[in-house]
Amino acid sequence: MKVLVLGADGAIGRGLVKEALYRKCEVTALLREPSRLHEEHAALTIRTGDLLGPGAIAAAAAGCDAILTAFGSEPGEGALLPEAARLIIEGAHAAGVTRLIVAGGSGTLLTAPGVRLMDSPEYPEELLPLAQAHAEAYEIFAQSDLDWTYASPAAWIEPGRRTGNFRVGMSLLVTDDEGHSRISIEDFAAAIVDELDDPNFIRARFTVGY
């Protein structure tokens, strides 16, 4: 399978590139600064360009079977997420790619019926604007006519090991017996490429945790 990875210079994006290559995909990464992706592989093509630039996504996605996006922004730059969502959808349409998997945020996951993680008292106040931007981007993806999937990580995600042993949910935050919600970047990437290989959440969201 040929895939385009957006946001490949971030921690989750690099995890997606590595996992997709491990699964024998042909990977194209669109990067404004190619030197930020320290990965070399015969099946990896790096294209220089800004995904927010006109036509950049469509050109990079030409001939691909799917787009995986881990595009993110720093706190204070959340407004870029909805804009990027619109451009990703436009680029997919222009390239004739219908399959899209988004590595998004966890703030809109539910901790109880009708109660979002981002609305809980424990949620860091400084992260609320970014969580809201992720929520807005999610709605944009969800309203598209693409075969989209939105993947939300556990509440806590960090570099770790690829175990392949995790639990999958939909809109409810996955927690362990002690109430902790966590996942490694490596296993989150594995779950996303699992969905690429064997789709179970077309036009839906899912989440993973230990």
Side-chain angles (χ1 to χ4, degrees):
M1 192 175 294
K2 297 180 179 180
V3 299
L4 170 65
V5 177
L6 303 175
D9 55 348
I12 294 174
R14 288 193 295 269
L16 288 176
V17 169
K18 186 174 182 179
E19 182 67 23
L21 290 170
Y22 174 71
R23 305 281 191 100
K24 309 299 183 186
C25 292
E26 294 182 34
V27 178
T28 297
L30 177 63
L31 293 169
R32 188 166 50 186
E33 299 179 26
S35 61
R36 295 186 61 179
L37 180 60
H38 307 294
E39 185 81 36
E40 294 184 5
H41 195 285
L44 173 63
T45 299
I46 298 178
R47 292 182 61 112
T48 302
D50 184 349
L51 71 82
L52 299 176
I57 295 172
C64 288
D65 301 298
I67 297 173
L68 310 181
T69 176
F71 177 77
S73 63
E74 298 297 325
E77 299 180 347
L80 292 177
L81 290 172
E83 178 186 357
R86 295 185 184 96
L87 289 171
I88 290 166
I89 293 167
E90 291 174 6
H93 282 146
V97 178
T98 60
R99 185 70 172 115
L100 170 68
I101 305 180
V102 181
S106 61
T108 54
L109 290 172
L110 303 179
T111 57
V115 181
R116 300 180 302 178
L117 175 64
M118 61 188 285
D119 297 329
S120 64
E122 298 81 13
Y123 199 83
E125 185 176 353
E126 65 273 15
L127 296 182
L128 279 174
L130 186 57
Q132 187 57 51
H134 273 292
E136 185 177 343
Y138 168 70
E139 292 300 329
I140 292 169
F141 287 123
Q143 292 168 16
S144 79
D145 60 356
L146 298 174
D147 289 332
W148 60 271
T149 300
Y150 191 94
S152 289
W156 186 260
I157 181 169
E158 62 184 347
R161 295 190 303 115
R162 183 191 187 281
T163 69
N165 185 21
F166 45 79
R167 291 178 295 143
V168 178
M170 293 190 71
S171 294
L172 193 64
L173 186 73
V174 176
T175 59
D176 62 19
D177 291 340
E178 297 179 350
H180 300 140
S181 177
R182 58 189 181 86
I183 193 72
S184 71
I185 289 172
E186 291 81 358
D187 275 338
F188 185 48
I192 288 173
V193 182
D194 283 348
E195 172 62 19
L196 178 67
D197 286 343
D198 183 19
N200 289 289
F201 299 100
I202 298 291
R203 302 183 64 78
R205 77 184 300 181
F206 76 95
T207 184
V208 293
Y210 296 129

